[in-house]
Amino acid sequence: MGLSSSKIDKALENFDQFPPNERFFGLENFGNTCYCNSVVQVLFYCLPFRQRVLQYYCEQKSLPMPTSTPNVDPVNINNNNVNSNNNTQQNYYTRNVNNNSSNTTTTTTTNNSNSSNNRTTANYNYNNIDQDTDSLILCLGELFYTIMQQKKRTGVISPKRFVERLKHENELFRSYMHQDAHEFLNFLLNSITEFLQKQQQQPNGKDVNSNNSSKKEVKTFVHEIFEGTLTNETKCLTCESVTNKDESFLDLSIDIGQNRSLTSCLSNFSSVETLSQNDKFYCDKCNSLQEAQKRMKIKQLPNTLIIHLKRFKFFEAFQQYKKLNYRVVFPFEIIVQNTTNDIVDPDKKFYLFAVVIHVGNGPNHGHYVSMIKSHGVWFIFDDDNIDIIQESDIYNCFGSSNDFIGSNDCGYLLFYQSESQ
Ligand SMILES: [Zn+2]
């Protein structure tokens, strides 16, 4: 159940660990944009990411950094900066949740897009997007900045400019259909990465470095935060030579099974697969196609680990994607095992700080919400509603141990922060 902003304000008073500048704003839904809202909220409370996006935005717009940007682990509580800048931008508008309680706790796709639009157009300029210079990262930065600059601690904000830009950049997100939160996250991170790489290579519109291969080596803050490395190890079964090929990842997509733990799904991810028949491996030593054993190993873990549980599976028999409501238990703390021998920090511990949850029965129906830990307190973000929850509420989104009945609130994207961050 969502609380009105005054109620959540009151509830927040019971906790003294929040820095005075931390903000808790719901995001308005523009008709099935919960896939976007749920992920954007997680990224906002992923503090290293928030910090870097704000830094970038303020640099580009020659604005002072909000003094309020805490650069701390969300698990710990040690920030006491004071909010001083009230230079609120006009591109967004805020309102009180009290005015609208009609779409609280909705678990269907029927969000009230018409009324949202009516409410927004009054203050929003549709032609505000400069298609050449405004990028997705600038629109995201503007959204983060606007939230940080709010005088009130709680409320609702319209992410309209960001959503418009997203639709401009990718037609996939233009419809009012239900979209995949993972696909959106992937697109957003990749698009920010590519944009920053391009900008670093062509600061004056000129290609400084004509060597194409160098393009991939430009690392951005997205890499610093989310990038890890996998080693694809292939062993030829004829000559027994081993080939290692490294590939980087921004998230791990893992297969799931009924009543499996996250740890067990992760070790399955690294299990041995035999390449044979039509799927043989070309061995350089044997100079021919050979049977081989392939294994994916985690070589380097990122600072923030994103795990995507593959809950949407294509079934040949039905010729469509179906949702797997399987119960997959994920822990609050995890040491990711099954890595390569030369791993830098084998006992790196990770703490769960956010979960994007899919509610509903199918890939084309349903709703996304996120549960996020900020300064030691868990919150649920459900579009324009925010509520404080108990840590134990996370147990309700593991899925159902019965394939046909039970909860269809399922953890879908898991966000873990490393201990060292
Ligand atoms: Zn061989």
Side-chain angles (χ1 to χ4, degrees):
M1 199 56 180
L3 292 176
S4 71
S5 68
S6 60
K7 275 187 189 160
I8 189 152
D9 243 344
K10 264 222 150 70
L12 287 173
E13 283 168 16
N14 296 326
F15 301 88
D16 52 11
Q17 64 259 56
F18 297 108
N21 39 56
E22 187 57 286
R23 293 288 171 269
F24 300 93
F25 275 72
L27 296 174
E28 185 150 6
N29 188 314
F30 297 105
N32 287 328
T33 51
C34 53
Y35 69 89
C36 169
N37 288 345
S38 57
V39 168
V40 165
Q41 291 286 20
V42 171
L43 293 176
F44 182 76
Y45 292 96
C46 175
L47 299 184
F49 184 79
R50 185 204 295 185
Q51 169 87 7
R52 300 302 294 271
V53 168
L54 283 171
Q55 234 165 37
Y56 177 84
Y57 176 75
C58 291
E59 270 167 32
Q60 297 291 314
K61 298 282 176 184
S62 304
L63 289 165
M65 263 301 264
T67 48
S68 42
T69 318
N71 189 15
V72 292
D73 186 328
V75 178
N76 297 317
I77 311 132
N78 52 13
N79 192 284
N80 285 308
N81 288 339
V82 181
N83 187 22
S84 60
N85 198 333
N86 291 321
N87 180 21
T88 308
Q89 290 220 319
Q90 296 308 310
N91 290 321
Y92 292 89
Y93 84 107
T94 57
R95 66 180 169 80
N96 229 312
V97 216
N98 300 357
N99 302 338
N100 181 357
S101 55
S102 63
N103 45 14
T104 55
T105 65
T106 173
T107 54
T108 65
T109 57
T110 54
N111 281 300
N112 201 341
S113 62
N114 285 337
S115 72
S116 294
N117 286 338
N118 289 341
R119 275 182 279 136
T120 343
T121 41
N123 287 331
Y124 186 79
N125 180 358
Y126 275 98
N127 302 315
N128 219 2
I129 295 168
D130 182 331
Q131 308 207 334
D132 295 322
T133 59
D134 275 6
S135 59
L136 210 46
I137 179 175
L138 275 182
C139 292
L140 186 67
E142 186 185 48
L143 177 62
F144 284 5
Y145 188 82
T146 310
I147 294 172
M148 294 308 292
Q149 299 295 75
Q150 294 303 311
K151 286 180 195 165
K152 287 188 175 175
R153 188 145 75 149
T154 63
V156 177
I157 213 154
S158 155
K160 185 136 198 167
R161 234 164 95 81
F162 175 76
V163 172
E164 289 291 314
R165 183 67 211 182
L166 174 70
K167 291 183 178 192
H168 171 76
E169 289 204 7
N170 190 334
E171 61 179 334
L172 192 72
F173 301 111
R174 260 169 236 171
S175 80
Y176 283 91
M177 298 269 292
H178 187 73
Q179 303 288 346
D180 186 326
H182 176 246
E183 223 162 284
F184 163 69
L185 173 66
N186 231 309
F187 173 75
L188 179 62
L189 294 183
N190 282 314
S191 130
I192 290 177
T193 306
E194 280 164 29
F195 182 84
L196 292 176
Q197 284 175 330
K198 225 163 135 186
Q199 206 173 42
Q200 280 175 42
Q201 286 214 312
Q202 303 170 303
N204 305 312
K206 285 176 193 159
D207 200 341
V208 211
N209 204 332
S210 54
N211 183 359
N212 273 340
S213 65
S214 69
K215 196 170 180 176
K216 283 175 190 153
E217 289 156 23
V218 179
K219 294 290 181 195
T220 68
F221 68 78
V222 175
H223 297 107
E224 273 172 41
I225 299 168
F226 299 109
E227 187 186 56
T229 314
L230 289 172
T231 295
N232 193 338
E233 186 188 273
T234 317
K235 184 179 174 186
C236 170
L237 291 179
T238 305
C239 72
E240 300 211 322
S241 67
V242 178
T243 316
N244 286 309
K245 216 175 111 191
D246 285 357
E247 40 188 278
S248 67
F249 66 89
L250 295 179
D251 63 64
L252 288 180
S253 284
I254 62 170
D255 287 313
I256 56 168
Q258 181 56 286
N259 286 316
R260 300 275 299 276
S261 69
L262 178 65
T263 313
S264 130
C265 295
L266 276 168
S267 40
N268 185 54
F269 175 82
S270 290
S271 64
V272 175
E273 184 191 340
T274 305
L275 305 174
S276 59
Q277 294 179 344
N278 295 332
D279 200 24
K280 281 184 185 167
F281 162 76
Y282 188 88
C283 176
D284 285 336
K285 269 205 172 158
C286 301
N287 264 322
S288 56
L289 287 171
Q290 297 294 342
E291 286 197 354
Q293 279 184 338
K294 193 181 108 169
R295 205 181 156 188
M296 293 289 254
K297 288 179 168 182
I298 297 167
K299 188 178 180 182
Q300 194 168 10
L301 289 159
N303 289 314
T304 299
L305 175 66
I306 306 174
I307 298 174
H308 163 225
L309 303 179
K310 287 159 85 175
R311 289 201 177 269
F312 300 111
K313 191 180 170 190
F314 190 78
F315 284 87
E316 295 283 348
F318 304 104
Q319 281 299 298
Q320 59 174 309
Y321 280 92
K322 289 201 174 278
K323 180 182 172 189
L324 306 172
N325 281 326
Y326 295 161
R327 180 177 163 86
V328 178
V329 174
F330 46 89
F332 289 100
E333 280 178 36
I334 191 169
I335 295 175
V336 181
Q337 290 169 338
N338 231 322
T339 48
T340 53
N341 299 329
D342 56 346
I343 186 153
V344 189
D345 188 1
D347 292 331
K348 202 167 176 180
K349 213 186 234 181
F350 286 86
Y351 296 94
L352 185 73
F353 76 96
V355 188
V356 170
I357 296 152
H358 183 270
V359 182
N361 273 322
N364 302 314
H365 309 279
H367 185 50
Y368 287 105
V369 299
S370 39
M371 290 182 177
I372 302 170
K373 194 177 192 177
S374 171
H375 299 88
V377 178
W378 281 93
F379 291 83
I380 185 166
F381 290 83
D382 181 354
D383 288 329
D384 50 7
N385 286 287
I386 305 175
D387 206 346
I388 292 172
I389 55 168
Q390 297 298 312
E391 189 173 72
S392 57
D393 287 333
I394 303 277
Y395 303 151
N396 298 327
C397 63
F398 289 153
S400 169
S401 49
N402 184 311
D403 288 356
F404 304 102
I405 50 165
S407 166
N408 57 21
D409 296 10
C410 302
Y412 181 49
L413 303 173
L414 312 175
F415 295 78
Y416 284 91
Q417 194 111 54
S418 75
E419 190 172 33
S420 51
Q421 245 195 346

